Amino acid sequence: MDKLIKNIAQLWCSLDDSIDNFFNRRILRTHNSTFLFLISMLGIVAISIAFFAEFNSVFYRFLFFFAYIFMGFIGLTIVGAYHEKKRIKNKRLYPFLYRTLKIGNINYDALKLNDDEKIDFHLLLNRRKVQNKINFQENNKSKDSANHRMLFSMFHVILEDGIENLTDVHKKVFFEMLEDSFLMNGKTINYKTLKSSFSGWKGDLSSDKGKGYIKYWKSVFDIA
């Protein structure tokens, strides 16, 4: 009995592998192959209905068949275009999840954003690219440049899992997002300095200064 069960299970696994291989390598390999498979299935259904259903003449059978295929073609084209649009759109989004923030409770005065920058900041909160760079105006002690550590602390607060444990890949994308989205007191972000600034920020995260930054941003975004 054990041998019989094992043999049946082995055959079942082989059948599953064959089906998976057929769909993944042939049917779902490209948009065209998937489309042709689905339109073929619709064609089989249309032929079956046209053959077995009662029609007044052969002309109406052909008319039904071609109308069915045409409607199926239009429907599949719309569905395919919709999913392709979603794929393209998602590819353009930054791979970061933000906390659910109460937009009306954000202290924009503390953020020092003008009306246009607010719009771009909301785009960023929706993982989208900004139309114009946001001018981040939190100064360093020297007063002549913006504070990278304050910027890091802000994202550490508003991103779902913070930024302390970003992988190298996500850290690279994060730095690129900062470079694409912000000016630092009107000056372009120097991408080359972000890595060292980030390391210094992480080192100070548990210090009184680091905790103060986090507390400040939580109050700005009304996060408990």
Side-chain angles (χ1 to χ4, degrees), residues 16-80:
D16 273 353
D17 290 341
S18 298
I19 292 173
D20 288 342
N21 184 65
F22 174 72
F23 277 96
N24 292 327
R25 292 183 179 273
R26 294 180 180 274
I27 303 303
L28 304 178
R29 186 168 57 88
T30 65
H31 290 307
N32 287 338
S33 61
T34 304
F35 184 86
L36 288 174
F37 172 75
L38 292 174
I39 206 73
S40 299
M41 293 298 99
L42 287 175
I44 292 172
V45 173
I47 290 173
S48 301
I49 296 174
F51 183 80
F52 290 106
E54 293 185 5
F55 289 95
N56 293 331
S57 66
V58 174
F59 171 77
Y60 286 114
R61 291 182 189 274
F62 278 105
L63 184 62
F64 168 81
F65 173 79
F66 286 112
Y68 193 93
I69 293 298
F70 177 74
M71 294 301 295
F73 178 87
I74 297 297
L76 289 175
T77 301
I78 292 173
V79 171

Side-chain angles (χ1 to χ4, degrees), residues 94-128:
Y94 292 115
F96 304 109
L97 294 178
Y98 289 85
R99 289 173 178 262
T100 301
L101 302 173
K102 297 178 182 177
I103 301 300
N105 292 350
I106 296 176
N107 186 347
Y108 290 105
D109 290 334
L111 284 170
K112 302 174 185 175
L113 303 180
N114 60 37
D115 289 339
D116 289 335
E117 288 174 331
K118 288 179 186 178
I119 294 172
D120 284 306
F121 190 68
H122 290 162
L123 290 176
L124 203 59
L125 292 179
N126 284 288
R127 302 168 59 203
R128 296 169 60 187

